[in-house]
Every structure is written in C-alpha cells, then in structure tokens.
Amino acid sequence: MSTSIVLLEITGAHFEFQPMMFQMLQTTGQYSGFPNEDPHLHLRQFLDVANNFKIPGVTDDAFRLGLFPYSLRDRAKSWLNSLEPISIPTWNDLVEKFLDKYFPPSKNAKMRNQITSFRQGEEESLFEAWERFKELLRQCPQHGIPICVQLETLYNGLVPFSTNMIDASSEGALLSKSYEEGYQLIESITTNTYQWPVTRANASTAQKRPTGVHEVTETTALAAQVAQIHQMMKNLMTKLEPVKMVTDASEFSSVYYGGAHLYGECTANPVSTNYVGNNNRYKNPYSNTYILGWRNHPNVSWSNNQGQPKP
C-alpha cells in the first residue's frame, strides 16, 4: 500500500486481499496516467469491482483505500507514491486528489466546450452522433450543463436530415418534452435506425464534396449504358458490307431494288409515289441535291403560303 494512504482500523479478525480481486482489476484495466485514458471511467470500473466484496469488520473506505493502489501502474503508481505520507485519510480525499491530477479544471473546461459546441459530422449517422454526445457527457461529469439544456444542445447540433427525423417522431415538439421523455424518444429512434444502411441524406454533403471526387448517379450510369450500346452498334455497322456514298441523287440508282431507275422513282420505295407526283407538279431548282429525309421538314417544305407567316 502507498505510504500516502492512511491505514484505517480494521475490526475484523482476519483480512487479506484475494487473488480474484487482483485478477478482476487487471481485467477491467489498470490506470497508467496517459492523456488518452479516462480517469472517471477508471474510478467507476474500480468501484464496480470493489462493490462485489463485502467483508465483515472492514468498512468500504478501508477496503477501497487498501485496494485502489493495485489498480494503478506506471506513472500513475509513481504519482500516488510521490504524495506526502498519510495525506489521504478517506476515500473521498483520494478521489479528489486523483481527479485534480488527471482531470484538472483546464481539461474540464475543454471537455465542456466540446459539449456546448457539439455538431453532427457530415458522414455521421444519428445513432453515432447520439452515442458520441452521451460519451462526452459521461467523460465530463462536472460539465455543469443543466439537463434541460443538454437535449437542446444536441438538437441544435444535428444536420437537417436528423432533425427532420426527430421532428417527425415527436410531432415537432421534442424541446417541449421533459428530459426523460426526450431522452427515451431519441434512444428509441437511434435504436430503430441502427441497422439502417449507412446513407447520408444531408443535402449539404453534396455541396461540400471535395474537389475532384466524382459521384456516380443514376444519370451517369444511364449515360454509360447508352455509350456502351452506341459502341456496340458502331462495331456492328463496321462489319456490314460498305455502301457506295453518292452526292448526286441522279447517281443513286436502285442498287438494292434492281433496275436502272432512280431511288426516288422506285416503286418499292414507300415515298416514291408522293415524290414523283410532286416532281411532276413543279420543278424544284434544287432537285439534284434534294434530300428525301427533309421532304416534310417545315423549314424546307413547299406550299402555296410560302413566304407568309403561318397562323
């Protein structure tokens, strides 16, 4: 036992720490005193172990003071041994000195600021944000934030998608509920959505996407399919027998229909009858360059009202 701890009187006939007690402390984890360790968590875990044992004639203070040094190691153990001899008469004194060392007011202020400025991450689900917020409260029991303000702090720090979900579940009256009602409501929502696929419906996420990151949407996926079909058609067309390209309609003989007549005069052509009839009705000065595909196009069609605006 550390010399800084006062040995309290034990009225029991015989008392000694059992190996099981040390094993349980090692299982929960000894405290080393590093910045990333949580001193409040260590105290709670230590009390969980100590409260499992009730020994006749041994007070809780005497038992905890005697067992606590075995829950420390490395620099934390050195710190306890460096304290003045018999300077810790009670368990509360030991807790106070332990927290003054490993959770000073400066760290408490820093943790409190993290709570009051809480914001849900863009890639963080409501369940993850709720668990992180509760963890911040747990790590800083002396935050001093009233419970009526805690849920308001959380609500104001959520992204719109999460607040909309909560509003829909609470009929828009979360902040008018008691702390217990609001707490249970959020617990219920996050429990039910815990197994949902990880999709973020925050509209601001798309606006803040890093430059150069390409999002594959349904539109781009459809465009890729169209491009693939286009390439397949192009490959198919290259395998067909090449056709002679002509620029003069008079040279476009009925190769695929037989005979020496022009394509426009071929009876097998479904538009040849109209074309021939129109050709006899008037003489088109541009007949040598006439493109049948434009015959009915409003910009190149002929009518008695040509040059007059259509009603």
Side-chain angles (χ1 to χ4, degrees), residues 200-217:
R200 316 301 184 206
N202 181 13
S204 63
T205 302
Q207 300 176 357
K208 299 180 180 180
R209 185 177 294 105
T211 304
V213 176
H214 178 66
E215 179 183 10
V216 179
T217 63

Side-chain angles (χ1 to χ4, degrees), residues 31-194:
Y31 189 83
S32 300
F34 291 105
N36 62 325
E37 292 180 292
D38 185 352
H40 294 100
L41 178 61
H42 178 71
L43 289 174
R44 279 192 293 270
Q45 291 177 336
F46 171 78
L47 290 177
D48 288 341
V49 173
N51 291 338
N52 285 303
F53 302 95
K54 297 295 181 181
I55 303 174
V58 180
T59 64
D60 289 340
D61 264 23
F63 181 78
R64 294 170 182 174
L65 289 173
L67 185 62
F68 187 76
Y70 297 101
S71 71
L72 305 180
R73 58 178 298 178
D74 301 332
R75 61 176 65 181
K77 190 67 170 287
S78 300
W79 161 79
L80 183 61
N81 292 330
S82 66
L83 297 178
E84 296 182 4
I86 59 173
S87 59
I88 304 176
T90 66
W91 168 248
N92 288 336
D93 292 331
L94 177 56
V95 170
E96 183 179 352
K97 290 184 180 296
F98 180 74
L99 292 178
D100 284 343
K101 172 63 179 180
Y102 294 108
F103 202 83
S106 59
K107 189 173 183 178
N108 184 79
K110 180 180 178 180
M111 294 292 298
R112 188 181 188 280
N113 183 63
Q114 291 181 9
I115 297 172
T116 56
S117 61
F118 177 83
R119 294 292 182 272
Q120 180 181 3
E122 292 180 358
E123 297 299 321
E124 187 177 36
S125 68
L126 176 59
F127 173 82
E128 294 167 340
W130 174 234
E131 292 299 314
R132 182 166 63 87
F133 184 74
K134 290 190 297 182
E135 182 66 12
L136 290 175
L137 294 175
R138 187 193 62 76
Q139 291 179 357
C140 187
Q142 293 84 25
H143 51 71
I145 303 174
I147 58 175
C148 58
V149 180
Q150 293 175 18
L151 286 184
E152 182 178 356
T153 301
L154 169 73
Y155 182 85
N156 292 334
L158 296 176
V159 298
F161 176 70
S162 296
T163 55
N164 291 339
M165 184 187 304
I166 293 177
D167 288 343
S169 301
S170 63
E171 299 180 353
L174 174 68
L175 298 182
S176 65
K177 296 182 179 296
S178 66
Y179 178 83
E180 291 75 13
E181 292 174 338
Y183 185 96
Q184 292 302 323
L185 176 63
I186 297 179
E187 277 286 319
S188 177
I189 296 174
T190 55
T191 300
N192 293 333
T193 60
Y194 174 68

